[in-house]
Each structure stands twice: as structure tokens, then as C-alpha cells.
Amino acid sequence: MILFYRLLLLPLLFLSAPYYLYRKVRRGDWKLAWQQRFGLFPKLPKTTKKRIWIQAVSVGEILAIESILKQLKEITNLEIVLTTTTVTGYKEARKRYQDSLLSLGLFPLDFWPCSATAWSRIHPDAILLVESELWPEHLYQASRRKVPVFLINARLSDQSYRRLKYLTPLARYQIKKIDTLYCATQLDFDRFTQLAANPEKKIGNIKLDVHFDPPVSPEEKRRSLIEMGFATPQSEETPPFILVGASTWDGEEHYLLEAQRACLAAGIACHLILVPRHTERRKSLLRSLAAQELPWSSASGACSPKSDPQTETHQAIHLSDTTGHLAHILRLADLAFIGKSLPPNKGGQTPIEAAAQGIPLIFGPNMSNFTSIATRLVSVGAAREVKDAEELKSVILQLAQNASARNTMSVAGLQWHQSNKGISATIASDIEKRLTDGEASLA
């Protein structure tokens, strides 16, 4: 199987190399990229300490492993090497975890010379993969060296599961090289079980263990809204209704603008904050906002706040077209729409962060990346699912007029989060036990 994979990958690498190199030179990360992508990590000496190699794809996974890193750092005689696939993930990891790591780098190409070189330089005693990092060569190198593999937050979207069912022998080959698999949800557990009877599987989502800041105070919320260009509310008794579009995709901003207009027409002081998933869409979104009549501003400064006290015209929309602000903006929300969930978009963005902070949620029918979680949030009353843009507008208007219903949803989200925490401590304990029990075979 591994020989077939290597033969298949060779022409693909050859054909894609020019474009890959062009992108790296253009982005300015050429030196770091070519060295570590080809496995040329700084050589790490063998020590008496146990060494775990963690691979997390990008920013989302880098943020998610915070709780795991904290738990692992409490284990004596353990050092951590962290790699990530994207340069943005690398930069985020360096900013957050540099002092907690033995080494930080980029994941090598999953081709024999690159992977084998990286392994010979890192010398891990165990590897930990995040979500769907089933790299055949990487897993083969672990199996050949008898190094245990842990896959955390393992999940299979509807599309990935359908694809792997057609490639069951390959899927089984990869999954059986994993010692312990921590599935994000029961649905993911069932899917992995159907593809391969082994390895040992447990259920728990590490993203539920991520630390979230406490709710913002009324004064902090007021100050943040003013910084975005929104007018000061007339009184504390009549605060504006804050609607947030979280990680929105193409078309969804338009639907939220329509919902906002419905709220305004009903006499609700609705402020809309749009946080697109990809800031590369900035230009098209700026054009769309410029074409509509409501005053607006953008975080990038492309449009300054448009409030005029003399004419009682106040800003109604803020476009967060710079990165890194979603977590804070969610804390300001009275209601949040989760993007990539309304047709024709598919898959859905994560609802976990908002629900865990007690933000009432709405999302469309296409949440296949988080099927089990979305279903559970709806069943406990923390979220509402809508079938299309028309129902989205109707439900937003209903909830904007009903603070009691929003409060009930908020409490349900907080309770759901609290009852599902704790897998990070279990994972760290399992890793420590495996490294201790198998010390002789891991040498």
C-alpha cells in the first residue's frame, strides 16, 4: 500500500511543484517553506526526555490545541515539537506557544525522502495528529519505528466519509496505524468504526476545552461598539440589538443585510457586524456595502464611520475585513449567524466558540462539517436551524423582538458546553501512560 502511494504521489509532486514554488516566493515565505517542507528541520538531539510531535493544520487547529498543550506541559520529562501546514498557522503558533515548545516548524511534504528526513531529525517518541491529518507516509514512518499515534478531534465530514467508503482499503490501512483515536462526536465515532474496527476510540472535542474570556461588561461592549463607529445608545434601557455574521461566505452577507432591514423596519435598532471567512473577498464586499443605503464602516479603514448627529443618521453596519477579531466580536453579539451554512454554500463553520460563550445561534441546513454538534445544539435549544434566506430573515426578526427567548438559548448553550468539557485531561493522561508503560519499546 505504501509503495503504491509513493508511486502515485511522485508525478503529482512533479506536476504541482512549479505552482507551489511560485506561491511561496510570492508570499515571501520561501526560505522557511522549502527547508522544512523537504524535511530539513534543525536536528534535535536525543535526550532522556520523551518527545511528542504534534501536527496541527492551520490557525483553527493551532487555537484548538491550547488546552492539550497546557495539560501536556504539566507532565514532567516531556518535551513538545509542534508543526503546522500553513504559514499563517506557524505565525499564530509562534505568537502563542513559542516558549512552551522545544521546536516549532512546518510539516514536511508527505513523500518518503521529506518525511523520513524530518523523522530522523525530530526523533519523536509519540505523534499527535489533529482532526483529519491522516498522512500515509507520516503514519508509515511511525509504524516502522513503532511510535504510537494519537489522533485527536478526529472527524469525518459527510463528503470525506462518502469518499473514504469508496476507498475502504486505504482508509482501513491508515486508521489501523493509529493507536488511539479521539472522535469529536458520536457520529464521527460511528463513521470511523465502520471504516475500521480498530484502533481504540473515545469521544470528546478538544475545542470545548479552549479557554473563553468571560462575557463583556455593558461598558466594555459600549466602548467596543463606539470604536467600530456605532453611535452611543440613547440609554442603557434601550441598547441596540447586535447581529453578527460569523465567518460568512458569498451571498450570506446579502441575506443578513435583508434581515437587518426587516428589523429596522420593525423599529428595532439593529447593528450588523459582518465577519467574512476570507478577507480576500474584501473588495467585493466593499462594493456591495457602498451600493446599499445604510451608513457603514470597515475595520481596514476603506470606509470611515458614517454617523451624523445633526441629521440623526447613524452607522448601522460594520465590516470586519481584517483578521483575528471574530472571538472578540462574538462576545458583543446578541445573536450570531454561523456562515457557510446557507445554499449554495456547504459544510458550515464551527458553532462551538459562539455556543460556548452563550451566544444564541442561527445557521442554515448545510452544516455537514459539524452535523452532530449542530444537531445537538438545536435539540438542547441553543440554536435555530433555518432552511433558506427567507426563513433566516423571519427567525432573526422573531429573536430580535424576544430577549427572553435569546436568554433561554444562551443558557442552553452554556450548559451544553459545560457538560461536554474535559477530554484534554483524558488525552494527556493517556499519552503519559502510554509513554511510561511502553518505555522499553519506545527507546
Side-chain angles (χ1 to χ4, degrees):
M1 183 66 75
I2 191 65
L3 180 59
F4 171 76
Y5 174 73
R6 290 172 177 174
L7 293 174
L8 177 65
L9 194 62
L10 185 59
L12 293 177
L13 286 174
F14 178 78
L15 291 172
S16 62
Y19 175 68
Y20 171 79
L21 296 178
Y22 163 75
R23 286 179 60 197
K24 294 304 170 186
V25 172
R26 184 179 178 184
R27 290 182 179 180
D29 52 38
W30 160 250
K31 184 176 181 180
L32 176 67
W34 85 260
Q35 289 179 328
Q36 299 200 0
R37 298 296 190 198
F38 287 98
L40 299 176
F41 283 82
K43 289 186 177 181
L44 302 178
K46 291 184 177 181
T47 68
T48 56
K49 290 186 175 182
K50 294 301 179 182
R51 184 175 298 160
I52 183 168
W53 177 359
I54 303 176
Q55 160 59 12
V57 183
S58 190
V59 175
E61 292 75 21
I62 289 296
L63 298 177
I65 64 172
E66 177 184 359
S67 58
I68 289 288
L69 287 177
K70 287 182 178 179
Q71 294 287 340
L72 292 174
K73 285 298 292 180
E74 294 180 4
I75 300 174
T76 57
N77 202 39
L78 180 71
E79 52 192 19
I80 300 169
V81 175
L82 174 62
T83 59
T84 181
T85 304
T86 68
V87 174
T88 54
Y90 174 86
K91 291 177 179 177
E92 186 67 30
R94 184 173 59 187
K95 180 175 72 175
R96 288 176 172 269
Y97 309 133
Q98 182 72 65
D99 294 339
S100 302
L101 306 172
L102 171 67
S103 183
L104 171 65
L106 290 173
F107 190 65
L109 294 171
D110 198 53
F111 187 52
W112 170 71
C114 309
S115 185
T117 300
W119 272 82
S120 68
R121 288 168 174 251
I122 294 176
H123 305 295
D125 295 300
I127 63 172
L128 190 152
L129 309 173
V130 184
E131 294 198 351
S132 54
E133 290 287 276
L134 299 178
W135 295 103
E137 186 68 50
H138 191 51
L139 291 173
Y140 171 77
Q141 295 294 333
S143 176
R144 188 172 74 85
R145 291 170 167 82
K146 296 185 168 80
V147 169
V149 180
F150 301 86
L151 178 61
I152 64 173
N153 245 46
R155 63 186 184 92
L156 288 174
S157 66
D158 294 348
Q159 183 178 1
S160 297
Y161 179 58
R162 285 194 297 268
R163 187 187 305 122
L164 286 177
K165 281 200 298 185
Y166 290 109
L167 300 169
T168 299
L170 176 60
R172 185 178 297 115
Y173 169 81
Q174 291 177 273
I175 293 171
K176 287 197 171 185
K177 284 187 165 34
I178 300 169
D179 291 77
T180 307
L181 198 155
Y182 302 87
C183 299
T185 67
Q186 180 66 51
L187 178 62
D188 296 302
F189 179 95
D190 294 339
R191 287 176 170 178
F192 276 103
T193 300
Q194 290 167 17
L195 290 171
N198 291 319
E200 180 185 2
K201 303 178 187 70
K202 299 183 180 182
I203 301 174
N205 195 317
I206 62 169
K207 291 185 178 181
L208 293 169
D209 290 340
V210 173
H211 170 74
F212 296 108
D213 293 328
V216 295
S217 65
E219 179 56 33
E220 184 183 353
K221 182 174 182 177
R222 177 178 174 275
R223 186 166 56 250
S224 294
L225 292 174
I226 291 174
E227 289 174 356
M228 291 181 186
F230 294 110
T232 306
Q234 293 284 331
S235 71
E236 293 300 326
E237 297 180 0
T238 59
F241 170 68
I242 310 300
L243 174 62
V244 171
S247 299
T248 51
W249 285 57
D250 192 25
E252 293 174 335
E253 295 88 3
H254 174 71
Y255 302 145
L256 291 172
L257 287 166
E258 288 187 340
Q260 181 191 30
R261 282 192 284 269
C263 290
L264 294 172
I268 301 167
C270 178
H271 293 348
L272 174 61
I273 306 176
L274 297 171
V275 189
R277 177 65 179 86
H278 299 109
T279 56
E280 300 92 302
R281 297 178 53 233
R282 178 186 295 117
K283 289 184 179 179
S284 65
L285 290 172
L286 291 174
R287 287 194 297 268
S288 296
L289 291 175
Q292 57 85 52
E293 68 281 1
L294 294 174
W296 59 282
S297 69
S298 67
S300 65
C303 181
S304 300
K306 291 183 177 179
S307 296
D308 187 349
Q310 294 182 345
T311 61
E312 296 187 354
T313 299
H314 301 297
Q315 177 183 309
I317 305 162
H318 179 75
L319 174 65
S320 180
D321 55 349
T322 55
T323 59
H325 302 294
L326 178 58
H328 176 69
I329 289 173
L330 277 174
R331 297 170 68 216
L332 308 176
D334 294 307
L335 180 65
F337 167 77
I338 302 301
K340 203 186 179 185
S341 62
L342 278 176
N345 301 305
K346 296 180 180 180
Q349 299 294 151
T350 177
I352 292 175
E353 187 171 15
Q357 297 181 87
I359 307 301
L361 300 178
I362 299 181
F363 41 70
N366 298 336
M367 289 287 289
S368 59
N369 289 340
F370 302 92
T371 300
S372 184
I373 290 174
T375 301
R376 185 60 182 159
L377 287 173
V378 171
S379 70
V380 301
R384 295 278 298 272
E385 181 181 310
V386 297
K387 65 178 182 296
D388 54 29
E390 194 60 35
E391 187 177 5
L392 174 69
K393 180 168 65 176
S394 173
V395 172
I396 286 177
L397 181 57
Q398 291 172 21
L399 292 174
Q401 295 171 319
N402 193 336
S404 176
R406 298 199 307 271
N407 184 64
T408 300
M409 295 174 71
S410 174
V411 171
L414 291 171
Q415 291 176 342
W416 167 83
H417 174 232
Q418 191 62 35
S419 65
N420 286 278
K421 293 171 62 177
I423 191 62
S424 296
T426 299
I427 295 171
S429 176
D430 289 350
I431 291 174
E432 181 179 23
K433 186 175 186 299
R434 178 59 191 268
L435 290 174
T436 302
D437 293 349
E439 188 167 356
S441 62
L442 289 170

